[in-house]
């Protein structure tokens, strides 16, 4: 049975071109630096985000945590938003791997106030009680569906540079953010020292993310990646799909965004469904069904019976995510099914 899967864009299957590229990939032992396809992906990825070097990592979480681990010393403080993925969805890894303290600040729908950040920056030698600020993290696109403006990115980077603190961008959906802003990814990543982005979300690669930054940073990260068990051998089979992701799939994201807006608009016409329309920047639609009298469990099961997979509520909201394998026709079909279940 073919399902329409709206749980996430992580569910995307590789495209036929990816499978072909993986089948034909020339590979070598990447821990020895012998994998030509991986070399090509890392060089290409660095160029796409305007950084000196890049490193393939198994997942987005791995890339973020590797970045914290590489930028910071144990006991450093990392300033970041209270609703970001690193705080909310990475299993507390920052305390286990990098051994850092997360200093959260209130996020206004994903946007952090540069002044608030500046107020929190501390130097270890200032006071016997103080940890030093080792890193500032920004998330864009934010997993709440919104894109952070370039002016905020710039403001944060200026504050960071003034105080000589590096900035890491969790850009799991960097290319969705670039698509929304109508700029190249480089225009966003010029406001950070390191960036992680996922190949395996909307870009459809089966596995992998990229961490990019200065050559010095990536050299150090490559060693730390080995420590974390992320030294991969004939990883060119994965890199081959990653190259297709970066060369062929970025332009498709605007269709995912259009489909998400269509989905949000149509869902909002259903009685009692409240869609967070102002936050539909990327491929996500958030809504509540409390006023319909239907429980989210009933909606999940009802849709599953009709061949549509969705996740249950989180924080009282349901999230639908469009992706390459969800067509406009699928969107209309989903809306009709939701209507049938709620009415
Ligand atoms: C998905 C995601 C990650 C982590 O990626 P995984 O590959 O699932 O580990 C990190 N940050 C954000 C914002 C994400 O959406």
């Amino acid at each position: 049975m073919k399902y329409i899967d709206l749980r996430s864009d992580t569910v995307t299957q590789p495209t036929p071109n990816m499978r072909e590229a993986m089948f034909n990939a020339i590979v070598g032992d990447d821990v020895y630096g012998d994998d030509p396809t991986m070399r090509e992906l890392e060089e290409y990825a660095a160029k796409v985000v305007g950084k000196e070097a890049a490193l393939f990592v198994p997942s987005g979480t791995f890339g973020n945590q590797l970045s914290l681990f590489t930028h910071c010393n144990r006991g450093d403080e990392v300033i970041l938003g209270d609703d970001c993925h690193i705080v909310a969805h990475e299993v507390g890894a920052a305390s286990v791997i990098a051994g850092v303290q997360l200093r959260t600040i209130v996020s206004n729908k994903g946007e952090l106030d540069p002044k608030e950040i500046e107020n929190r920056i501390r130097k270890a030698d200032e006071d016997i009680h103080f940890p030093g600020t080792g890193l500032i993290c920004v998330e864009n696109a934010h997993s709440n569906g919104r894109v952070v403006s370039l002016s905020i990115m710039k403001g944060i980077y200026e504050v960071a540079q003034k105080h000589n603190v590096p900035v890491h961008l969790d850009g799991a959906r960097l290319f969705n953010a670039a698509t929304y802003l109508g700029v190249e990814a480089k225009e966003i990543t010029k406001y950070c020292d390191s960036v992680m982005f996922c190949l395996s979300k909307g870009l459809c690669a089966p596995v992998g993310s990229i961490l990019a930054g200065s050559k010095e940073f990536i050299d150090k990260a490559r060693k730390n990646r080995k420590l974390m068990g992320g030294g991969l051998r004939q990883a060119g089979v994965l890199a081959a799909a990653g190259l297709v992701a970066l060369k062929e799939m970025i332009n498709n994201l605007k269709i995912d965004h259009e489909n998400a807006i269509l989905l949000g608009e149509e869902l909002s016409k259903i009685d009692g469904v409240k869609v967070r329309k102002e936050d539909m920047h990327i491929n996500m639609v958030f809504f509540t069904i409390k006023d319909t009298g239907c429980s989210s469990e009933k909606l999940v099961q009802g849709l599953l019976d009709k061949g549509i997979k969705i996740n249950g509520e989180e924080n009282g909201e349901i999230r639908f995510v469009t992706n390459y394998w969800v067509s406009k026709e699928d969107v209309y079909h989903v809306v009709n099914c939701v209507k049938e279940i709620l009415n």
Side-chain angles (χ1 to χ4, degrees):
M1 177 169 181
K2 183 200 172 274
Y3 285 94
I4 297 172
D5 199 336
L6 300 171
R7 288 173 300 172
S8 179
D9 44 13
T10 56
V11 302
T12 43
Q13 297 275 320
T15 65
N17 282 355
M18 286 178 185
R19 290 181 188 272
E20 173 93 19
M22 293 172 80
F23 183 82
N24 291 313
I26 300 167
V27 298
D29 188 331
D30 186 49
V31 175
Y32 286 104
D34 276 357
D35 192 304
T37 312
M38 186 55 81
R39 286 285 77 68
E40 189 186 340
L41 171 65
E42 290 179 344
E43 277 165 30
Y44 188 80
K47 261 195 224 114
V48 170
V49 291
K51 299 293 175 202
E52 282 173 10
L55 183 68
F56 181 87
V57 289
S59 70
T61 302
F62 196 116
N64 280 336
Q65 296 301 328
L66 175 60
S67 179
L68 266 60
F69 187 36
T70 305
H71 281 296
C72 298
N73 295 312
R74 288 181 79 78
D76 277 358
E77 206 159 58
V78 175
I79 300 175
L80 71 190
D82 57 6
D83 59 356
C84 72
H85 196 277
I86 293 173
V87 171
H89 285 118
E90 300 194 3
V91 211
S95 64
V96 179
I97 300 169
V100 292
Q101 159 158 301
L102 298 182
R103 183 99 187 267
T104 58
I105 66 172
V106 174
S107 143
N108 178 21
K109 291 193 163 191
E111 297 208 335
L112 309 179
D113 179 358
K115 281 233 171 56
E116 281 281 309
I117 292 177
E118 186 162 31
N119 291 340
R120 301 293 199 292
I121 293 176
R122 306 200 270 182
K123 298 269 178 270
D125 56 11
E126 240 167 43
D127 185 303
I128 196 170
H129 303 90
F130 285 4
T133 304
L135 186 66
I136 295 162
C137 295
V138 185
E139 186 172 310
N140 203 9
H142 199 276
S143 34
N144 66 7
R146 290 181 64 90
V147 173
V148 177
S149 71
L150 287 174
S151 66
I152 294 268
M153 297 286 305
K154 182 165 183 271
I156 294 171
Y157 197 49
E158 282 170 358
V159 160
Q161 290 200 307
K162 182 171 148 199
H163 295 276
N164 214 10
V165 178
V167 172
H168 171 72
L169 172 62
D170 176 351
R173 295 188 181 84
L174 172 68
F175 298 101
N176 296 86
T179 299
Y180 174 77
L181 294 171
V183 299
E184 283 197 58
K186 273 185 258 191
E187 294 304 308
I188 303 174
T189 53
K190 70 183 182 193
Y191 301 123
C192 68
D193 298 285
S194 64
V195 56
M196 182 287 289
F197 64 82
C198 292
L199 298 165
S200 61
K201 290 191 170 170
L203 300 183
C204 295
V207 176
S209 292
I210 294 286
L211 180 64
S214 71
K215 183 173 181 310
E216 192 191 348
F217 173 78
I218 292 300
D219 284 349
K220 204 173 153 196
R222 193 177 293 279
K223 177 102 179 181
N224 284 341
R225 181 186 69 170
K226 188 79 182 85
L227 183 155
M228 286 166 65
L232 304 173
R233 302 298 179 175
Q234 285 71 33
V237 282
L238 300 175
L243 278 162
V244 175
L246 288 179
K247 290 180 177 175
E248 294 182 7
M249 303 305 289
I250 292 172
N251 287 336
N252 283 300
L253 295 176
K254 64 175 179 297
I255 297 169
D256 297 347
H257 295 190
E258 284 163 15
N259 284 338
I261 288 172
L262 177 68
L263 180 57
E265 293 293 341
E266 292 298 316
L267 286 172
S268 73
K269 293 177 188 163
I270 304 173
D271 264 355
V273 174
K274 291 216 166 55
V275 180
R276 250 207 285 136
K277 278 196 197 178
E278 68 282 9
D279 297 340
M280 295 193 302
H281 290 184
I282 56 170
N283 58 340
M284 296 179 179
V285 182
F286 291 86
F287 61 97
T288 61
I289 57 166
K290 284 184 210 81
D291 297 346
T292 66
C294 175
S295 71
S296 64
E297 290 80 8
K298 190 176 160 216
L299 183 64
V300 170
Q301 189 55 50
L303 286 176
L304 189 61
D305 294 342
K306 294 173 187 289
I308 300 163
K309 294 187 184 183
I310 64 164
N311 280 328
E313 262 179 16
E314 188 170 337
N315 302 322
E317 284 184 320
I318 297 170
R319 182 187 78 166
F320 282 1
V321 185
T322 58
N323 67 62
Y324 183 69
W325 299 104
V326 175
S327 67
K328 195 169 168 180
E329 291 66 43
D330 292 338
V331 167
Y332 283 115
H333 178 65
V334 166
V335 172
N336 284 333
C337 292
V338 172
K339 259 186 219 157
E340 274 176 40
I341 295 163
L342 296 184
N343 290 336

